[in-house]
Amino acid sequence: MPPSRPRTTTALALLLLATTACTAVEHESTPAPHAATPQPVTRQAEQLLLPLDAYASTVAETHVVEDAQDILMRRCMNDLGMEWKTLPRVDARDIEPQNVGRYGAGEAEAVRYGYHPRPDPPSVVRRNRAWDEREALPAEVQRAAYGPSGKGGCLKTAQHQLVGDTAPPDYHAFNQLTGTALETSRHAPEVRDAVRKWHACMAKAGFDYPDPMAAAVSERWKTAEPTPAERATARADAACQRSTKVMTVWAAAETRIQRRLIQQNTDRLHEAKARKDSWLAAARRVLNRDDGQ
């Protein structure tokens, strides 16, 4: 059986959902009439970088490792007399910045998509389709590629050719610490003050949510397509974030907290980063050789 398909959703987005699931309290509301159309806080969200980001792989870096492994797997499969189609590359322009949505709304697509993710760009669609096709490969091909466990076969051979006995990247430290930083920063006095201002701004527009995260993960938005109510909420949310500077205040608080956590976990994080960097460097060498042929 093939391994689980790598998720392009960032750990940050998953943490966002996890940390709000137990605390979000929603009140049904109706938008105030004649509310001004906001300008979504897009550029700041796209450019947001946090100290712990250095210890996790971006989506682009994950693709680099996958693509290199795929090239080595193709050679292994060909040696077994089997065809292996490598995954189509994803255009760099199609990869969303890693911290977009960390503190709630703010995407450029708020007016059009509300809190729904934007549709996958063509190159991402092609890659996802290729993963789907692999899951439908004949059992004999899947066994050769992945072994009975999903971690053997040509995949294991390719990984050994790539990095030898170097252990795979372990992002447990990053996931744990970035979740701690996000949750801790929510309770910082300056963040609580900014959120109170955001809440008051939203109330004037006819919405009642305790914080931006609660608005973003509302059960009401679990629909196939964004509803008019969702778009109206997202527009108001983005406008209130801009006027109250929630993202600026929250990012500053979390940056301070993350730097303290890095100092307290230096050895653990450096080991994780060294392993990640080893895999990434080896993958780039494979890709450079393949592209040069």
PDB file of all heavy atoms in Angstrom, residues 187-216:
ATOM      1  N   HIS A 187      -3.055  34.747  25.288  1.00  0.00           N
ATOM      2  CA  HIS A 187      -3.358  35.267  26.619  1.00  0.00           C
ATOM      3  C   HIS A 187      -2.460  36.431  27.024  1.00  0.00           C
ATOM      4  O   HIS A 187      -2.574  36.913  28.156  1.00  0.00           O
ATOM      5  CB  HIS A 187      -3.241  34.124  27.638  1.00  0.00           C
ATOM      6  CG  HIS A 187      -4.153  32.965  27.332  1.00  0.00           C
ATOM      7  ND1 HIS A 187      -5.521  33.019  27.506  1.00  0.00           N
ATOM      8  CD2 HIS A 187      -3.893  31.728  26.823  1.00  0.00           C
ATOM      9  CE1 HIS A 187      -6.062  31.869  27.137  1.00  0.00           C
ATOM     10  NE2 HIS A 187      -5.098  31.072  26.721  1.00  0.00           N
ATOM     11  N   ALA A 188      -1.573  36.865  26.136  1.00  0.00           N
ATOM     12  CA  ALA A 188      -0.736  38.030  26.432  1.00  0.00           C
ATOM     13  C   ALA A 188      -1.634  39.253  26.600  1.00  0.00           C
ATOM     14  O   ALA A 188      -2.597  39.434  25.853  1.00  0.00           O
ATOM     15  CB  ALA A 188       0.274  38.249  25.317  1.00  0.00           C
ATOM     16  N   PRO A 189      -1.351  40.124  27.574  1.00  0.00           N
ATOM     17  CA  PRO A 189      -2.229  41.281  27.834  1.00  0.00           C
ATOM     18  C   PRO A 189      -2.473  42.144  26.604  1.00  0.00           C
ATOM     19  O   PRO A 189      -3.602  42.571  26.355  1.00  0.00           O
ATOM     20  CB  PRO A 189      -1.471  42.052  28.925  1.00  0.00           C
ATOM     21  CG  PRO A 189      -0.649  41.016  29.612  1.00  0.00           C
ATOM     22  CD  PRO A 189      -0.246  40.042  28.554  1.00  0.00           C
ATOM     23  N   GLU A 190      -1.419  42.395  25.820  1.00  0.00           N
ATOM     24  CA  GLU A 190      -1.597  43.257  24.663  1.00  0.00           C
ATOM     25  C   GLU A 190      -2.461  42.602  23.576  1.00  0.00           C
ATOM     26  O   GLU A 190      -3.202  43.275  22.857  1.00  0.00           O
ATOM     27  CB  GLU A 190      -0.237  43.677  24.082  1.00  0.00           C
ATOM     28  CG  GLU A 190       0.609  42.545  23.496  1.00  0.00           C
ATOM     29  CD  GLU A 190       1.523  41.883  24.498  1.00  0.00           C
ATOM     30  OE1 GLU A 190       1.124  41.795  25.690  1.00  0.00           O
ATOM     31  OE2 GLU A 190       2.624  41.458  24.112  1.00  0.00           O
ATOM     32  N   VAL A 191      -2.372  41.258  23.467  1.00  0.00           N
ATOM     33  CA  VAL A 191      -3.200  40.551  22.498  1.00  0.00           C
ATOM     34  C   VAL A 191      -4.658  40.564  22.960  1.00  0.00           C
ATOM     35  O   VAL A 191      -5.574  40.797  22.160  1.00  0.00           O
ATOM     36  CB  VAL A 191      -2.706  39.106  22.293  1.00  0.00           C
ATOM     37  CG1 VAL A 191      -3.649  38.323  21.382  1.00  0.00           C
ATOM     38  CG2 VAL A 191      -1.296  39.122  21.696  1.00  0.00           C
ATOM     39  N   ARG A 192      -4.877  40.315  24.227  1.00  0.00           N
ATOM     40  CA  ARG A 192      -6.242  40.349  24.760  1.00  0.00           C
ATOM     41  C   ARG A 192      -6.872  41.729  24.557  1.00  0.00           C
ATOM     42  O   ARG A 192      -8.064  41.831  24.230  1.00  0.00           O
ATOM     43  CB  ARG A 192      -6.226  39.971  26.244  1.00  0.00           C
ATOM     44  CG  ARG A 192      -5.857  38.509  26.485  1.00  0.00           C
ATOM     45  CD  ARG A 192      -5.520  38.270  27.949  1.00  0.00           C
ATOM     46  NE  ARG A 192      -6.705  38.397  28.782  1.00  0.00           N
ATOM     47  CZ  ARG A 192      -7.439  37.370  29.203  1.00  0.00           C
ATOM     48  NH1 ARG A 192      -7.103  36.127  28.825  1.00  0.00           N
ATOM     49  NH2 ARG A 192      -8.477  37.548  29.971  1.00  0.00           N
ATOM     50  N   ASP A 193      -6.072  42.765  24.731  1.00  0.00           N
ATOM     51  CA  ASP A 193      -6.593  44.125  24.526  1.00  0.00           C
ATOM     52  C   ASP A 193      -6.951  44.352  23.056  1.00  0.00           C
ATOM     53  O   ASP A 193      -8.007  44.912  22.743  1.00  0.00           O
ATOM     54  CB  ASP A 193      -5.551  45.149  24.989  1.00  0.00           C
ATOM     55  CG  ASP A 193      -6.055  46.570  24.857  1.00  0.00           C
ATOM     56  OD1 ASP A 193      -7.073  46.906  25.485  1.00  0.00           O
ATOM     57  OD2 ASP A 193      -5.425  47.359  24.116  1.00  0.00           O
ATOM     58  N   ALA A 194      -6.065  43.902  22.146  1.00  0.00           N
ATOM     59  CA  ALA A 194      -6.344  44.061  20.715  1.00  0.00           C
ATOM     60  C   ALA A 194      -7.573  43.262  20.297  1.00  0.00           C
ATOM     61  O   ALA A 194      -8.380  43.724  19.479  1.00  0.00           O
ATOM     62  CB  ALA A 194      -5.123  43.625  19.895  1.00  0.00           C
ATOM     63  N   VAL A 195      -7.722  42.066  20.865  1.00  0.00           N
ATOM     64  CA  VAL A 195      -8.878  41.238  20.532  1.00  0.00           C
ATOM     65  C   VAL A 195     -10.169  41.884  21.050  1.00  0.00           C
ATOM     66  O   VAL A 195     -11.217  41.817  20.387  1.00  0.00           O
ATOM     67  CB  VAL A 195      -8.708  39.812  21.092  1.00  0.00           C
ATOM     68  CG1 VAL A 195     -10.017  39.025  21.013  1.00  0.00           C
ATOM     69  CG2 VAL A 195      -7.611  39.068  20.317  1.00  0.00           C
ATOM     70  N   ARG A 196     -10.106  42.501  22.222  1.00  0.00           N
ATOM     71  CA  ARG A 196     -11.290  43.202  22.726  1.00  0.00           C
ATOM     72  C   ARG A 196     -11.707  44.320  21.771  1.00  0.00           C
ATOM     73  O   ARG A 196     -12.897  44.518  21.497  1.00  0.00           O
ATOM     74  CB  ARG A 196     -11.019  43.773  24.123  1.00  0.00           C
ATOM     75  CG  ARG A 196     -11.165  42.761  25.256  1.00  0.00           C
ATOM     76  CD  ARG A 196     -11.199  43.432  26.611  1.00  0.00           C
ATOM     77  NE  ARG A 196      -9.937  44.086  26.931  1.00  0.00           N
ATOM     78  CZ  ARG A 196      -8.947  43.496  27.583  1.00  0.00           C
ATOM     79  NH1 ARG A 196      -9.071  42.242  27.984  1.00  0.00           N
ATOM     80  NH2 ARG A 196      -7.830  44.152  27.850  1.00  0.00           N
ATOM     81  N   LYS A 197     -10.726  45.045  21.239  1.00  0.00           N
ATOM     82  CA  LYS A 197     -11.025  46.099  20.270  1.00  0.00           C
ATOM     83  C   LYS A 197     -11.602  45.494  18.990  1.00  0.00           C
ATOM     84  O   LYS A 197     -12.531  46.050  18.396  1.00  0.00           O
ATOM     85  CB  LYS A 197      -9.761  46.903  19.958  1.00  0.00           C
ATOM     86  CG  LYS A 197      -9.228  47.697  21.148  1.00  0.00           C
ATOM     87  CD  LYS A 197      -7.920  48.386  20.803  1.00  0.00           C
ATOM     88  CE  LYS A 197      -7.376  49.160  22.007  1.00  0.00           C
ATOM     89  NZ  LYS A 197      -6.060  49.779  21.704  1.00  0.00           N
ATOM     90  N   TRP A 198     -11.035  44.367  18.569  1.00  0.00           N
ATOM     91  CA  TRP A 198     -11.560  43.681  17.378  1.00  0.00           C
ATOM     92  C   TRP A 198     -13.003  43.253  17.619  1.00  0.00           C
ATOM     93  O   TRP A 198     -13.857  43.417  16.749  1.00  0.00           O
ATOM     94  CB  TRP A 198     -10.681  42.469  17.066  1.00  0.00           C
ATOM     95  CG  TRP A 198     -11.178  41.599  15.950  1.00  0.00           C
ATOM     96  CD1 TRP A 198     -10.890  41.706  14.621  1.00  0.00           C
ATOM     97  CD2 TRP A 198     -12.081  40.480  16.069  1.00  0.00           C
ATOM     98  NE1 TRP A 198     -11.551  40.738  13.907  1.00  0.00           N
ATOM     99  CE2 TRP A 198     -12.287  39.969  14.763  1.00  0.00           C
ATOM    100  CE3 TRP A 198     -12.721  39.873  17.146  1.00  0.00           C
ATOM    101  CZ2 TRP A 198     -13.111  38.876  14.517  1.00  0.00           C
ATOM    102  CZ3 TRP A 198     -13.549  38.782  16.907  1.00  0.00           C
ATOM    103  CH2 TRP A 198     -13.736  38.286  15.598  1.00  0.00           C
ATOM    104  N   HIS A 199     -13.281  42.696  18.791  1.00  0.00           N
ATOM    105  CA  HIS A 199     -14.629  42.247  19.130  1.00  0.00           C
ATOM    106  C   HIS A 199     -15.621  43.416  19.076  1.00  0.00           C
ATOM    107  O   HIS A 199     -16.737  43.281  18.539  1.00  0.00           O
ATOM    108  CB  HIS A 199     -14.639  41.616  20.518  1.00  0.00           C
ATOM    109  CG  HIS A 199     -15.995  41.182  20.990  1.00  0.00           C
ATOM    110  ND1 HIS A 199     -16.594  40.033  20.561  1.00  0.00           N
ATOM    111  CD2 HIS A 199     -16.873  41.777  21.828  1.00  0.00           C
ATOM    112  CE1 HIS A 199     -17.790  39.914  21.127  1.00  0.00           C
ATOM    113  NE2 HIS A 199     -17.983  40.971  21.904  1.00  0.00           N
ATOM    114  N   ALA A 200     -15.220  44.565  19.611  1.00  0.00           N
ATOM    115  CA  ALA A 200     -16.081  45.748  19.585  1.00  0.00           C
ATOM    116  C   ALA A 200     -16.326  46.208  18.158  1.00  0.00           C
ATOM    117  O   ALA A 200     -17.445  46.596  17.794  1.00  0.00           O
ATOM    118  CB  ALA A 200     -15.459  46.868  20.415  1.00  0.00           C
ATOM    119  N   CYS A 201     -15.303  46.152  17.342  1.00  0.00           N
ATOM    120  CA  CYS A 201     -15.428  46.536  15.929  1.00  0.00           C
ATOM    121  C   CYS A 201     -16.396  45.603  15.219  1.00  0.00           C
ATOM    122  O   CYS A 201     -17.269  46.044  14.460  1.00  0.00           O
ATOM    123  CB  CYS A 201     -14.054  46.509  15.269  1.00  0.00           C
ATOM    124  SG  CYS A 201     -14.062  46.834  13.481  1.00  0.00           S
ATOM    125  N   MET A 202     -16.266  44.304  15.461  1.00  0.00           N
ATOM    126  CA  MET A 202     -17.162  43.332  14.838  1.00  0.00           C
ATOM    127  C   MET A 202     -18.604  43.532  15.315  1.00  0.00           C
ATOM    128  O   MET A 202     -19.551  43.391  14.543  1.00  0.00           O
ATOM    129  CB  MET A 202     -16.697  41.912  15.149  1.00  0.00           C
ATOM    130  CG  MET A 202     -15.424  41.494  14.420  1.00  0.00           C
ATOM    131  SD  MET A 202     -15.680  41.238  12.640  1.00  0.00           S
ATOM    132  CE  MET A 202     -16.457  39.611  12.645  1.00  0.00           C
ATOM    133  N   ALA A 203     -18.763  43.851  16.599  1.00  0.00           N
ATOM    134  CA  ALA A 203     -20.108  44.065  17.130  1.00  0.00           C
ATOM    135  C   ALA A 203     -20.798  45.227  16.424  1.00  0.00           C
ATOM    136  O   ALA A 203     -21.995  45.173  16.130  1.00  0.00           O
ATOM    137  CB  ALA A 203     -20.036  44.314  18.634  1.00  0.00           C
ATOM    138  N   LYS A 204     -20.037  46.270  16.114  1.00  0.00           N
ATOM    139  CA  LYS A 204     -20.611  47.412  15.398  1.00  0.00           C
ATOM    140  C   LYS A 204     -21.088  47.003  14.003  1.00  0.00           C
ATOM    141  O   LYS A 204     -22.019  47.600  13.462  1.00  0.00           O
ATOM    142  CB  LYS A 204     -19.577  48.536  15.291  1.00  0.00           C
ATOM    143  CG  LYS A 204     -19.293  49.243  16.606  1.00  0.00           C
ATOM    144  CD  LYS A 204     -18.266  50.339  16.411  1.00  0.00           C
ATOM    145  CE  LYS A 204     -17.957  51.032  17.730  1.00  0.00           C
ATOM    146  NZ  LYS A 204     -16.919  52.103  17.535  1.00  0.00           N
ATOM    147  N   ALA A 205     -20.421  45.998  13.424  1.00  0.00           N
ATOM    148  CA  ALA A 205     -20.801  45.519  12.097  1.00  0.00           C
ATOM    149  C   ALA A 205     -21.896  44.464  12.159  1.00  0.00           C
ATOM    150  O   ALA A 205     -22.342  43.966  11.122  1.00  0.00           O
ATOM    151  CB  ALA A 205     -19.575  44.951  11.379  1.00  0.00           C
ATOM    152  N   GLY A 206     -22.313  44.089  13.381  1.00  0.00           N
ATOM    153  CA  GLY A 206     -23.404  43.146  13.524  1.00  0.00           C
ATOM    154  C   GLY A 206     -22.992  41.712  13.765  1.00  0.00           C
ATOM    155  O   GLY A 206     -23.793  40.792  13.581  1.00  0.00           O
ATOM    156  N   PHE A 207     -21.744  41.483  14.190  1.00  0.00           N
ATOM    157  CA  PHE A 207     -21.235  40.133  14.402  1.00  0.00           C
ATOM    158  C   PHE A 207     -20.772  39.982  15.838  1.00  0.00           C
ATOM    159  O   PHE A 207     -20.248  40.921  16.436  1.00  0.00           O
ATOM    160  CB  PHE A 207     -20.074  39.827  13.452  1.00  0.00           C
ATOM    161  CG  PHE A 207     -20.441  39.952  12.001  1.00  0.00           C
ATOM    162  CD1 PHE A 207     -20.200  41.129  11.312  1.00  0.00           C
ATOM    163  CD2 PHE A 207     -21.049  38.903  11.324  1.00  0.00           C
ATOM    164  CE1 PHE A 207     -20.539  41.258   9.976  1.00  0.00           C
ATOM    165  CE2 PHE A 207     -21.398  39.021   9.988  1.00  0.00           C
ATOM    166  CZ  PHE A 207     -21.148  40.207   9.315  1.00  0.00           C
ATOM    167  N   ASP A 208     -20.909  38.776  16.376  1.00  0.00           N
ATOM    168  CA  ASP A 208     -20.521  38.521  17.759  1.00  0.00           C
ATOM    169  C   ASP A 208     -19.678  37.256  17.846  1.00  0.00           C
ATOM    170  O   ASP A 208     -20.210  36.143  17.930  1.00  0.00           O
ATOM    171  CB  ASP A 208     -21.761  38.393  18.644  1.00  0.00           C
ATOM    172  CG  ASP A 208     -21.419  38.275  20.123  1.00  0.00           C
ATOM    173  OD1 ASP A 208     -20.248  38.516  20.472  1.00  0.00           O
ATOM    174  OD2 ASP A 208     -22.317  37.942  20.918  1.00  0.00           O
ATOM    175  N   TYR A 209     -18.368  37.426  17.786  1.00  0.00           N
ATOM    176  CA  TYR A 209     -17.414  36.332  17.928  1.00  0.00           C
ATOM    177  C   TYR A 209     -16.386  36.737  18.982  1.00  0.00           C
ATOM    178  O   TYR A 209     -15.986  37.906  19.030  1.00  0.00           O
ATOM    179  CB  TYR A 209     -16.692  36.035  16.612  1.00  0.00           C
ATOM    180  CG  TYR A 209     -17.599  35.461  15.542  1.00  0.00           C
ATOM    181  CD1 TYR A 209     -18.243  36.288  14.627  1.00  0.00           C
ATOM    182  CD2 TYR A 209     -17.811  34.090  15.461  1.00  0.00           C
ATOM    183  CE1 TYR A 209     -19.071  35.756  13.648  1.00  0.00           C
ATOM    184  CE2 TYR A 209     -18.636  33.548  14.484  1.00  0.00           C
ATOM    185  CZ  TYR A 209     -19.266  34.389  13.586  1.00  0.00           C
ATOM    186  OH  TYR A 209     -20.092  33.864  12.620  1.00  0.00           O
ATOM    187  N   PRO A 210     -15.926  35.810  19.805  1.00  0.00           N
ATOM    188  CA  PRO A 210     -14.979  36.182  20.857  1.00  0.00           C
ATOM    189  C   PRO A 210     -13.604  36.586  20.350  1.00  0.00           C
ATOM    190  O   PRO A 210     -12.922  37.387  20.991  1.00  0.00           O
ATOM    191  CB  PRO A 210     -14.894  34.914  21.725  1.00  0.00           C
ATOM    192  CG  PRO A 210     -15.331  33.806  20.824  1.00  0.00           C
ATOM    193  CD  PRO A 210     -16.341  34.393  19.901  1.00  0.00           C
ATOM    194  N   ASP A 211     -13.173  36.033  19.215  1.00  0.00           N
ATOM    195  CA  ASP A 211     -11.862  36.377  18.677  1.00  0.00           C
ATOM    196  C   ASP A 211     -11.808  35.996  17.200  1.00  0.00           C
ATOM    197  O   ASP A 211     -12.706  35.303  16.697  1.00  0.00           O
ATOM    198  CB  ASP A 211     -10.733  35.691  19.471  1.00  0.00           C
ATOM    199  CG  ASP A 211     -10.870  34.176  19.515  1.00  0.00           C
ATOM    200  OD1 ASP A 211     -11.104  33.580  18.442  1.00  0.00           O
ATOM    201  OD2 ASP A 211     -10.751  33.594  20.596  1.00  0.00           O
ATOM    202  N   PRO A 212     -10.770  36.447  16.468  1.00  0.00           N
ATOM    203  CA  PRO A 212     -10.699  36.144  15.031  1.00  0.00           C
ATOM    204  C   PRO A 212     -10.670  34.651  14.711  1.00  0.00           C
ATOM    205  O   PRO A 212     -11.220  34.226  13.690  1.00  0.00           O
ATOM    206  CB  PRO A 212      -9.394  36.831  14.604  1.00  0.00           C
ATOM    207  CG  PRO A 212      -9.199  37.933  15.591  1.00  0.00           C
ATOM    208  CD  PRO A 212      -9.708  37.379  16.893  1.00  0.00           C
ATOM    209  N   MET A 213     -10.039  33.847  15.557  1.00  0.00           N
ATOM    210  CA  MET A 213      -9.988  32.422  15.290  1.00  0.00           C
ATOM    211  C   MET A 213     -11.379  31.800  15.333  1.00  0.00           C
ATOM    212  O   MET A 213     -11.729  30.946  14.511  1.00  0.00           O
ATOM    213  CB  MET A 213      -9.079  31.730  16.299  1.00  0.00           C
ATOM    214  CG  MET A 213      -7.611  32.038  16.120  1.00  0.00           C
ATOM    215  SD  MET A 213      -6.642  31.073  17.296  1.00  0.00           S
ATOM    216  CE  MET A 213      -4.980  31.559  16.808  1.00  0.00           C
ATOM    217  N   ALA A 214     -12.184  32.224  16.312  1.00  0.00           N
ATOM    218  CA  ALA A 214     -13.534  31.682  16.427  1.00  0.00           C
ATOM    219  C   ALA A 214     -14.348  31.994  15.185  1.00  0.00           C
ATOM    220  O   ALA A 214     -15.123  31.160  14.709  1.00  0.00           O
ATOM    221  CB  ALA A 214     -14.212  32.241  17.673  1.00  0.00           C
ATOM    222  N   ALA A 215     -14.161  33.191  14.644  1.00  0.00           N
ATOM    223  CA  ALA A 215     -14.872  33.550  13.420  1.00  0.00           C
ATOM    224  C   ALA A 215     -14.441  32.654  12.266  1.00  0.00           C
ATOM    225  O   ALA A 215     -15.258  32.209  11.456  1.00  0.00           O
ATOM    226  CB  ALA A 215     -14.626  35.018  13.084  1.00  0.00           C
ATOM    227  N   ALA A 216     -13.152  32.369  12.185  1.00  0.00           N
ATOM    228  CA  ALA A 216     -12.615  31.624  11.048  1.00  0.00           C
ATOM    229  C   ALA A 216     -13.048  30.161  11.031  1.00  0.00           C
ATOM    230  O   ALA A 216     -13.191  29.573   9.962  1.00  0.00           O
ATOM    231  CB  ALA A 216     -11.090  31.715  11.041  1.00  0.00           C
TER     232      ALA A 216
END
